[in-house]
């Protein structure tokens, strides 16, 4: 008789915990269900059952399960297996994976089953769905103007006159109460009166959040071009030999069309597909395109969607009729799949697939590959600019590779012109942030009613402000960074902790009142472009203008429908967007990317610059790209211009090999945090010493990272570089032991230590 269960708590604790089951629950509980358990002195958690047994623990006093949340498991055994893999590989606790995986309400809230959304609707009593009766009613309401107006409004909204004339009630359109009364108190009063007279009836209507009501009738799928068909066949053929295939296709070659055909092929054979995208690439534009083909066989999983919607998707995946296709972001690798056949990772090079904070610090592409492997599914990685790791695997024969070299309809790739900004400044040719050739091309494009994208990889107005006399610059009080000036807010903001500060009237150092801003953020670009082109309609897309899903979609939709002429934005504008009329792309300052102190800087710059250039001229004539830089002679710039991925790859691989960086090694960063800097330094030194005893010269540091204090916590970092081929399992186990050993000293109890495996 089973009396005990082992559970995972949503906490950074590696152990599982054992609880006693009260007799009435013993029959109902299952592995993968959640239970409510007490923990510590006063806390209560929803914990996940991973084992049911009858071994009473002897070393501590056992507590009892309070109640059962799920009568049926919400997590499948194969998910637990994947979560355990993630915890092992990324050196975190499975509780942290559990916490990240389950949408909030499922995890924390106790016994509150999820209620479907309802809306309140209004209908006219059947009696009046008759021309004569309606005339009578109108006559009796003659003196009550409000009620009469409400009736008229209802008849309009419900399109009732036509329905009455044609004697067909089915033609009535459902009327939302809020639409009818427009939330006007007088209308609401009138409605109440009319309901009491039996004229109107009010009723509740359930609406599925995953509404399929506005699906187009006809499901459409495009015919593939010859090149695309070749890629499609090639991918399927490669799957006979290999589990993973790289689809290397230039921007606008129609990779999405190839995915659609593969998805169809897969679901026709009864398997499920996971289509994974970076957050900002999963747009309404793309979802609509897939909806037209797959209708409600497809579910969307997005971290910006309300929690309730995500729970509904999760539940449906557990049901007997799960979605055949999930299109989703990073976290959709945690969803339950019952018969997964294919995983597609689009824009596989995207760094945002790696979660930086909090744990699990996982790479969704790599987790997706493991998920596919565990499910016996195939994987397709698609991109125009593969990550070096992926391309390396393809070169080594570990992955298959299929290429699409031409754009759909043979539209030419954009012509990229490099503009030497040193020369532009020297000859005084610039127009604010614009070089002379870009300025002229923008004029021409606007005259021809074409659209323009301007890319600047910094938000805010000015990245730094400075006292003109003494050089003082404001810094965050909690972080080791200078503040960014936001003009609209008239505030200084810390981009690390979000703290805002007033702009000082005068320099706190020397009392000088002249404080100048330096450099360009997107906000300032927008300002100055508006001055240069007063007639142009300009929109800005960056973190500050896209806090909500609707604001983001709004900006995109305006641009797509030609309601704006110029879109100014951060890397958000480089991603997967497909616009009809963009003929000019301006990269205003490539140097912020080229000068990054990171071994991946050139790889990233190549990817980002090629992607943003790829937004130009997708339809119609060839697009023009202006790449403004003070580093016009760098080889990577020439490689972008000639779209020469193989040269970039071979240059970068030489360097990586020389310095033994990935993919020739694995990196693990060990981070340590504490409020007390001296204590932290002592801990960091101890940690590095013990690590060096174990790993020898593979250990570098400790160092203070470029931003060495965030939110009042000091930070230190140790780098562990493990050569490819060494046993990672062994390395991980030793790291855990070292962590335990060092942290067992009482002085370090309050310190935070965590690992970032394969950091980005
Ligand atoms: P990629 O994902 O490679 O950048 P897309 O799949 O977005 O390219 O295709 C670019 C444009 O070409 C899209 O507007 C798409 O609808 C169109 N397109 C591509 N292939 C086809 C096809 N076979 N039939 C019709 N339109 C296509
Ligand atoms: Zn000063
Ligand atoms: Zn800060």
């Amino acid at each position: 008789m089973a009396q005990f269960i082992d559970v995972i708590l949503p906490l950074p604790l590696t152990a599982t915990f054992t609880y006693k089951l009260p007799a009435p629950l013993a029959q109902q509980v299952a592995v993968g269900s959640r239970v409510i358990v007490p923990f510590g002195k006063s806390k209560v958690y929803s914990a996940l059952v991973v084992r049911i047994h009858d071994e009473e623990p002897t070393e501590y006093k056992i507590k009892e399960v309070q109640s059962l949340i799920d009568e049926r498991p919400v997590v499948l055994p194969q998910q637990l297996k994947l979560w355990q893999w993630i915890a092992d590989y990324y050196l975190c606790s499975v509780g942290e994976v559990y916490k990240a995986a389950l949408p909030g309400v499922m995890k924390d809230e106790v016994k509150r089953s999820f209620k479907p959304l309802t809306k309140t609707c209004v209908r006219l009593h059947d009696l009046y769905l008759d021309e004569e009766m309606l005339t009578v009613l109108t006559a009796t309401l003659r003196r009550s103007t409000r009620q009469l107006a409400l009736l008229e409004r209802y008849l309009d909204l419900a399109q009732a006159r036509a329905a009455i004339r044609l004697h067909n009630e089915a033609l009535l359109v459902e009327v939302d109460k809020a639409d009818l009364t427009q939330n006007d108190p007088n209308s609401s009063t009138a409605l109440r009166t009319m309901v009491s007279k039996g004229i109107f009836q009010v009723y509740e209507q359930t609406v599925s959040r995953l509404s399929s009501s506005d699906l187009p009738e006809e499901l459409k799928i495009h015919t593939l071009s010859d090149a695309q068909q070749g890629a499609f066949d090639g991918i399927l053929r490669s799957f006979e030999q290999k589990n993973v295939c790289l689809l290397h296709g230039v921007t606008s070659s129609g990779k999405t069309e190839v995915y659609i055909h593969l998805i169809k092929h897969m679901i026709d054979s009864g398997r499920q597909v996971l289509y994974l995208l970076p957050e900002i690439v999963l747009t309404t534009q793309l979802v609509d395109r897939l909806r037209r083909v797959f209708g409600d066989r497809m579910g969307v999983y997005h971290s910006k969607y309300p929690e309730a919607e995500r729970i509904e998707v999760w539940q449906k995946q557990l049901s007997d009729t799960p979605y055949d296709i999930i299109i989703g972001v990073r976290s959709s690798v945690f969803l339950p799949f019952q018969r997964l056949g294919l995983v597609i990772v689009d824009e596989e090079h995207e760094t945002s697939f790696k979660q930086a904070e909090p744990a699990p610090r996982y790479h969704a592409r790599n987790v997706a590959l493991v998920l596919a492997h565990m499910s016996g599914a195939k994987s397709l990685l698609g991109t125009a600019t593969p990550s070096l790791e992926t391309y390396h695997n393809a070169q080594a024969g570990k992955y298959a590779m299929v290429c699409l070299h031409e754009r759909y309809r043979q539209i030419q790739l954009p012509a990229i012109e490099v503009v030497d900004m040193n020369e532009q400044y020297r000859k005084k040719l610039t127009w604010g942030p614009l070089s002379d050739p870009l300025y002229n091309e923008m004029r021409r494009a606007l005259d021809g009613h074409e659209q323009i994208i301007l890319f600047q990889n910094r938000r805010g107005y000015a990245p730094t402000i400075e006292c003109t006399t003494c050089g003082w610059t404001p810094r965050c009080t909690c972080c080791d960074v200078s503040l960014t000036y936001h003009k609209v807010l008239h505030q200084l903001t810390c981009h690390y902790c979000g703290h805002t500060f007033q702009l000082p009237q005068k320099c706190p150092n020397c009392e000088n009142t002249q404080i100048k801003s330096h450099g360009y953020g997107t906000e300032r670009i927008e300002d100055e472009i508006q001055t240069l082109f007063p007639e142009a309609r300009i929109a800005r897309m960056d973190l500050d203008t896209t806090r909500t899903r609707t604001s983001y979609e709004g900006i995109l939709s305006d641009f797509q429908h030609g309601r704006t002429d110029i879109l100014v934005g951060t890397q958000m504008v480089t991603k997967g967007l497909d616009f009809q009329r963009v003929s000019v792309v301006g990269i205003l300052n490539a140097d912020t990317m080229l000068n990054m102190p990171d071994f991946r800087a050139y790889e990233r710059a190549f990817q980002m610059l090629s992607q943003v250039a790829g937004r130009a001229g997708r339809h119609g004539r060839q697009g023009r790209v202006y790449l403004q830089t003070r580093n016009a002679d760098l080889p990577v710039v020439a490689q972008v211009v000639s779209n020469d991925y193989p040269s970039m790859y071979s240059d970068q691989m030489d360097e990586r090999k020389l310095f033994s960086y990935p993919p020739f090694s694995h990196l693990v960063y060990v981070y340590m945090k504490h409020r007390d800097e001296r204590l932290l330094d002592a801990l960091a030194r101890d940690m590095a010493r013990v690590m060096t005893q174990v790993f020898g010269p593979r250990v570098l540091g400790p160092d203070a990272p470029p931003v060495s204090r965030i939110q009042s916590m000091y930070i230190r970092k140790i780098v562990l570089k493990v050569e490819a081929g060494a046993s990672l399992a062994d390395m991980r186990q030793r790291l855990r032991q070292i962590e335990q050993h060092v942290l067992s000293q009482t002085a370090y109890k309050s310190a935070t230590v965590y690992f970032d495996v394969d950091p980005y």
Side-chain angles (χ1 to χ4, degrees):
M1 174 68 181
Q3 292 168 318
F4 302 95
I5 54 170
D6 293 349
V7 301
I8 298 169
L9 292 167
L11 296 171
L13 304 165
T14 38
T16 55
F17 293 82
T18 307
Y19 286 86
K20 188 172 158 58
L21 268 178
L25 292 185
Q27 296 301 320
Q28 300 166 25
V29 108
V31 168
S33 297
R34 289 163 308 153
V35 289
I36 305 289
V37 295
F39 186 75
K41 282 205 182 68
S42 56
K43 291 233 163 59
V44 169
Y45 286 106
S46 80
L48 188 70
V49 181
V50 291
R51 195 166 84 93
I52 306 174
H53 57 89
D54 53 11
E55 299 151 25
E56 173 151 23
T58 45
E59 58 274 30
Y60 53 90
K61 189 168 169 296
I62 192 161
K63 290 183 181 169
E64 212 170 64
V65 171
Q66 289 187 353
S67 59
L68 175 68
I69 303 179
D70 313 299
E71 268 140 41
R72 291 177 51 187
V74 292
V75 177
L76 305 174
Q78 60 267 34
Q79 283 175 283
L80 282 175
K81 212 172 115 198
L82 180 68
W83 296 4
Q84 190 60 56
W85 181 88
I86 294 171
D88 288 344
Y89 188 88
Y90 292 104
L91 290 163
C92 64
S93 81
V94 74
E96 287 170 311
V97 185
Y98 165 48
K99 193 170 173 200
L102 264 82
V105 183
M106 285 182 89
K107 184 172 63 213
D108 298 322
E109 274 185 39
V110 173
K111 253 315 184 205
R112 207 194 70 183
S113 64
F114 156 69
K115 192 163 162 264
L117 255 188
T118 60
K119 65 175 178 185
T120 311
C121 297
V122 176
R123 66 176 163 235
L124 195 61
H125 193 284
D126 290 350
L127 190 64
Y128 303 109
L129 294 175
D130 173 280
E131 245 162 312
E132 240 171 87
M133 288 305 289
L134 192 60
T135 318
V136 174
L137 177 63
T138 317
T140 56
L141 291 180
R142 214 173 43 239
R143 280 173 222 284
S144 347
T145 30
R146 286 223 174 84
Q147 293 182 32
L148 197 57
L150 202 67
L151 178 64
E152 288 297 334
R153 190 168 161 76
Y154 171 83
L155 295 173
D156 274 353
L157 289 173
Q159 301 178 11
R161 291 191 196 281
I164 294 170
R165 206 174 322 115
L166 298 167
H167 303 285
N168 186 352
E169 278 177 44
L171 295 177
L172 285 175
V173 173
E174 196 148 58
V175 175
D176 202 318
K177 184 174 159 217
D179 290 344
L180 180 61
T181 61
Q182 296 171 290
N183 293 319
D184 165 36
N186 289 324
S187 297
S188 301
T189 313
L191 178 63
R192 267 198 301 281
T193 314
M194 293 170 83
V195 169
S196 68
K197 288 193 209 162
I199 300 168
F200 281 128
Q201 295 169 332
V202 173
Y203 63 100
E204 297 286 316
Q205 178 76 11
T206 349
V207 286
S208 169
R209 290 183 180 72
L210 316 163
S211 164
S212 55
S213 57
D214 29 55
L215 287 181
E217 304 274 289
E218 214 178 310
L219 305 181
K220 273 189 292 201
I221 187 159
H222 293 303
T223 316
L224 293 179
S225 68
D226 288 348
Q228 292 165 349
Q229 186 65 44
F232 174 88
D233 295 338
I235 292 164
L236 281 187
R237 225 177 306 120
S238 82
F239 284 157
E240 288 165 18
Q241 313 281 332
K242 297 196 166 131
N243 289 324
V244 184
C245 179
L246 165 63
L247 173 59
H248 185 195
V250 295
T251 52
S252 210
S253 55
K255 292 184 289 297
T256 320
E257 298 300 332
V258 175
Y259 302 151
I260 288 173
H261 281 254
L262 283 166
I263 293 170
K264 183 156 185 334
H265 176 85
M266 199 49 74
I267 64 175
D268 283 351
S269 70
R271 307 289 297 269
Q272 286 172 303
V273 178
L274 169 61
Y275 181 1
L276 204 66
L277 284 144
E279 186 106 0
I280 40 181
V281 182
L282 182 48
T283 55
T284 320
Q285 197 183 19
L286 182 70
V287 170
D288 285 352
R289 187 159 151 200
L290 281 129
R291 268 271 183 261
R292 280 196 288 279
V293 182
F294 299 112
D296 52 12
R297 298 178 74 175
M298 179 181 85
V300 186
Y301 200 69
H302 198 297
S303 56
K304 281 202 177 155
Y305 284 11
E307 216 152 63
E309 262 176 58
R310 282 182 280 152
I311 292 171
E312 213 168 293
V313 173
W314 188 290
Q315 298 286 17
K316 187 158 165 76
Q317 290 314 89
L318 290 168
S319 74
D320 295 338
T321 52
Y323 287 113
D324 294 318
I325 307 149
I326 291 287
I327 174 169
V329 298
R330 197 161 71 195
S331 55
S332 46
V333 296
F334 297 123
L335 279 170
F337 290 94
Q338 304 182 44
R339 41 188 168 77
L340 190 63
L342 176 67
V343 174
I344 297 169
V345 184
D346 195 12
E347 311 288 351
E348 70 81 29
H349 65 280
E350 263 294 316
T351 52
S352 60
F353 277 129
K354 173 78 158 82
Q355 171 150 316
E357 195 66 41
R361 295 178 177 80
Y362 66 106
H363 196 301
R365 175 197 63 215
N366 296 353
V367 171
L369 291 172
V370 175
L371 167 69
H373 182 75
M374 286 180 172
S375 318
K378 302 290 177 184
S379 303
L380 180 66
L381 309 178
T383 175
T385 52
S387 63
L388 289 202
E389 284 85 347
T390 295
Y391 202 76
H392 174 67
N393 281 328
Q395 295 289 309
K398 199 172 153 196
Y399 301 165
M401 178 159 82
V402 168
C403 297
L404 267 173
H405 293 298
E406 58 185 50
R407 287 185 144 188
Y408 179 63
R409 294 223 169 88
Q410 279 96 43
I411 288 167
Q412 282 178 294
L413 280 166
I416 303 178
E417 183 174 323
V418 178
V419 185
D420 179 351
M421 290 309 276
N422 288 329
E423 186 189 310
Q424 290 283 311
Y425 287 124
R426 199 171 55 240
K427 297 189 179 160
K428 298 205 165 52
L429 295 172
T430 54
W431 303 73
L434 306 178
S435 61
D436 194 49
L438 175 56
Y439 172 82
N440 291 324
E441 187 65 16
M442 285 175 68
R443 265 263 106 83
R444 192 204 53 72
L446 288 172
D447 290 343
H449 303 286
E450 296 165 1
Q451 288 177 309
I452 299 159
I453 290 180
L454 295 179
F455 169 62
Q456 174 76 348
N457 217 10
R458 273 212 171 116
R459 67 192 168 95
Y461 187 83
T464 47
I465 68 164
E466 196 181 79
C467 167
T468 52
T469 314
C470 74
W472 170 86
T473 61
R475 300 179 76 79
C476 181
T477 52
C478 316
C479 311
D480 169 33
V481 287
S482 57
L483 299 169
T484 301
Y485 176 48
H486 289 249
K487 193 178 172 194
V488 176
L489 306 168
H490 199 64
Q491 264 175 346
L492 298 165
T493 308
C494 170
H495 284 183
Y496 280 82
C497 72
H499 261 83
T500 55
F501 300 84
Q502 287 309 311
L503 189 67
Q505 302 284 339
K506 53 187 180 203
C507 170
N509 210 18
C510 72
E511 310 235 308
N512 167 27
T513 51
Q514 296 219 297
I515 296 177
K516 239 182 73 185
S517 55
H518 276 294
Y520 282 95
T522 42
E523 195 185 342
R524 181 165 177 195
I525 304 276
E526 185 189 13
D527 249 33
E528 297 202 2
I529 300 296
Q530 191 70 77
T531 318
L532 290 169
F533 303 98
E535 74 288 359
R537 296 161 303 169
I538 304 175
R540 169 160 61 95
M541 188 156 85
D542 56 30
L543 206 59
D544 299 313
T545 61
T546 57
R547 299 275 176 202
T548 64
R549 175 175 142 206
T550 38
S551 55
Y552 175 64
E553 301 285 355
I555 295 169
L556 285 185
S557 153
D558 280 351
F559 195 59
Q560 193 171 10
H561 293 105
R563 290 190 287 267
T564 34
D565 306 307
I566 304 175
L567 183 63
V568 177
T570 54
Q571 75 258 30
M572 284 188 180
V573 301
T574 66
K575 316 293 178 188
L577 305 174
D578 185 26
F579 297 119
Q580 310 280 330
R581 279 184 293 261
V582 176
S583 62
V584 181
V585 166
I587 296 164
L588 299 181
N589 183 0
D591 303 322
T592 49
M593 285 166 283
L594 295 167
N595 295 336
M596 287 277 251
D598 185 312
F599 69 89
R600 288 196 176 88
Y602 288 172
E603 177 193 355
R604 294 260 172 80
F606 182 92
Q607 289 161 344
M608 211 183 270
L609 296 173
S610 310
Q611 294 283 347
V612 70
R615 300 310 114 202
R618 289 168 74 89
H619 300 255
R621 64 191 204 94
Q622 189 186 27
R624 299 194 68 80
V625 178
Y626 292 82
L627 194 163
Q628 304 187 161
T629 175
R630 288 173 182 269
N631 294 286
D633 299 332
L634 280 180
V636 68
V637 171
Q639 287 156 356
V640 170
V641 171
S642 54
N643 192 33
D644 189 353
Y645 181 89
S647 290
M648 186 280 289
Y649 173 76
S650 98
D651 281 5
Q652 293 309 306
M653 287 296 274
D654 288 348
E655 244 187 77
R656 301 276 180 99
K657 186 159 193 176
L658 194 61
F659 298 104
S660 167
Y661 274 122
F664 299 98
S665 68
H666 275 280
L667 294 180
V668 179
Y669 291 170
V670 183
Y671 284 102
M672 290 145 288
K673 288 191 184 178
H674 204 281
R675 271 173 208 284
D676 180 340
E677 192 170 16
R678 279 181 45 211
L679 189 142
L680 180 66
D681 275 327
L683 163 64
R685 275 193 306 272
D686 277 359
M687 193 76 165
R689 187 176 39 80
V690 183
M691 280 178 66
T692 308
Q693 281 165 10
V694 176
F695 297 110
R698 300 181 187 87
V699 179
L700 310 169
D703 285 309
V707 177
S708 67
R709 191 171 59 120
I710 297 178
Q711 293 184 323
S712 304
M713 297 286 260
Y714 290 92
I715 308 165
R716 294 294 179 271
K717 179 174 129 185
I718 300 171
V719 177
L720 176 62
K721 217 186 233 182
V722 185
E723 58 281 11
S727 163
L728 292 176
D730 194 42
M731 175 272 291
R732 286 192 297 262
Q733 202 192 346
R734 288 175 191 210
L735 265 182
R736 292 267 207 205
Q737 284 165 355
I738 295 170
E739 179 193 12
Q740 269 181 13
H741 171 72
V742 174
L743 288 185
S744 65
Q745 301 182 47
T746 29
Y748 301 147
K749 265 227 151 67
S750 52
T752 307
V753 174
Y754 63 84
F755 302 101
D756 191 357
V757 178
D758 300 340
Y760 259 70

